[in-house]
Amino acid sequence: MSKAKLSVNINKIATLRNSRGGNNPDLVKVALDCERFGAQGITVHPRPDERHIRYQDVYDLKEKIKTEFNIEGNCQEHKFVKLVLDNLPAQVTLVPDALGQITSNHGWDTIKNQNYLQDIISKFKEANIRVSIFIDPNVEMVEAAKTTGTDRIELYTEAYAKQFENNIEKAILPYIAAAHKANELGIGINAGHDLDLHNLKYFAEHVPGLLEVSIGHALISDALYLGLENTIQRYLYQLK
Ligand SMILES: CC(=O)[C@@H](O)[C@H](O)COP(=O)(O)O
Ligand SMILES: NCC(=O)COP(=O)(O)O
């Protein structure tokens, strides 16, 4: 029985919208529909090249969203820090993306970036924004996350998703270890990246203390076949 909440990442809705230059699909309408269909949060990840979520989208969404708003991005970009402080979301998730990455593909080195993370996290916490930092499932990274002052960690789940089909018991082990350490240290646990209808239930059942999953690419892809409402209900069912 998991109590993890589902935050729907709508990046790929913005990808489709941007492909023709108009406002179809309407990103705000889709976000509100996701909430109406049961999503417990909305996640966006504005990147410096605005390939999908544009900075203006964040202002537009903030005015209308009723569930938890989670803004993900690279805080080393000054525009991102201003965007977050202007919009005061429920949560900001700090992701150490380099420019030009096709997607997020690594977590923070919380040891090497300890002082930097302490400073930027305190800035967001002073604004009463819950902070989560994107990390690999590594116990040492979790231990060092504690002294950064972060409220939560987001476990980067691509490695789990890749190994899930071949060796499920091996795939989950680093995440269980990281979660036990986070629980011991009093850090909240989020997770995301490449989670889908096949791998989500096992993950949620085996990672103790999981509070939130943010899912976008697979969920939006599934919705092309199953419909958005049905898809969100199916993902929520995996978390029951
Ligand atoms: C941090 C992470 O894994 C995802 O939240 C990220 O938002 C995916 O970004 P793209 O949608 O640009 O692949
Ligand atoms: N933080 C993970 C996220 O928001 C969505 O990642 P994905 O499901 O698009 O891989």
Side-chain angles (χ1 to χ4, degrees), residues 9 11-12 43 45 47 51-52 72 95 102-104 134 154 156 192-193 214:
N9 182 312
N11 291 351
K12 301 302 162 18
T43 291
H45 191 145
R47 295 179 180 274
R51 67 186 71 164
H52 39 52
E72 300 197 341
V95 186
I102 188 172
T103 187
S104 305
F134 195 63
E154 176 175 341
Y156 171 38
H193 203 97
S214 42

Side-chain angles (χ1 to χ4, degrees), residues 27-65:
L27 189 73
V28 174
K29 181 184 183 310
V30 172
L32 296 179
D33 285 340
C34 288
E35 293 183 323
R36 190 159 53 86
F37 299 154
Q40 294 143 321
I42 297 296
T43 291
V44 294
H45 191 145
R47 295 179 180 274
D49 60 11
E50 297 190 302
R51 67 186 71 164
H52 39 52
I53 298 293
R54 297 175 181 141
Y55 285 82
Q56 184 55 46
D57 289 327
V58 177
Y59 294 87
D60 298 342
L61 286 162
K62 170 62 181 173
E63 283 183 16
K64 304 284 187 182
I65 281 175

Side-chain angles (χ1 to χ4, degrees), residues 34 37 197 218-235:
C34 288
F37 299 154
L197 278 177
L219 188 150
I220 302 302
S221 302
D222 290 336
L224 296 175
Y225 291 93
L226 303 172
L228 187 55
E229 181 170 9
N230 182 23
T231 299
I232 288 175
Q233 292 296 321
R234 289 187 182 214
Y235 275 84

Side-chain angles (χ1 to χ4, degrees), residues 37-197:
F37 299 154
Q40 294 143 321
I42 297 296
T43 291
V44 294
H45 191 145
R47 295 179 180 274
D49 60 11
E50 297 190 302
R51 67 186 71 164
H52 39 52
I53 298 293
R54 297 175 181 141
Y55 285 82
Q56 184 55 46
D57 289 327
V58 177
Y59 294 87
D60 298 342
L61 286 162
K62 170 62 181 173
E63 283 183 16
K64 304 284 187 182
I65 281 175
K66 300 175 188 69
T67 59
E68 284 211 340
F69 195 19
N70 174 38
I71 304 175
E72 300 197 341
N74 186 341
C75 46
Q76 292 156 308
E77 296 288 331
H78 296 300
K79 273 181 76 175
F80 178 78
V81 175
K82 180 182 185 313
L83 182 73
V84 174
L85 294 175
D86 282 353
N87 287 281
L88 302 177
Q91 178 176 266
V92 60
T93 300
L94 310 184
V95 186
D97 289 332
L99 289 174
Q101 282 181 207
I102 188 172
T103 187
S104 305
N105 61 14
H106 63 279
W108 286 99
D109 181 328
T110 52
I111 298 171
K112 286 181 183 169
N113 295 289
Q114 178 71 201
N115 295 336
Y116 168 74
L117 287 169
Q118 284 178 348
D119 290 345
I120 192 69
I121 287 168
S122 63
K123 187 176 287 190
F124 289 126
K125 291 183 74 170
E126 279 162 20
N128 293 316
I129 301 169
R130 186 175 71 222
V131 180
S132 179
I133 59 174
F134 195 63
I135 67 167
D136 297 297
N138 176 313
V139 170
E140 289 180 349
M141 293 298 118
V142 178
E143 285 172 337
K146 179 63 180 175
T147 45
T148 68
T150 191
D151 299 298
R152 295 192 184 180
I153 55 174
E154 176 175 341
L155 295 175
Y156 171 38
T157 46
E158 180 179 5
Y160 164 74
K162 278 187 174 166
Q163 202 176 25
F164 173 78
E165 298 297 344
N166 302 323
N167 189 335
I168 193 169
E169 292 81 10
K170 190 176 176 191
I172 199 70
L173 284 179
Y175 296 88
I176 293 173
H180 279 305
K181 179 56 69 177
N183 289 325
E184 176 192 315
L185 295 172
I187 309 172
I189 304 167
N190 295 347
H193 203 97
D194 285 342
L195 292 174
D196 64 26
L197 278 177

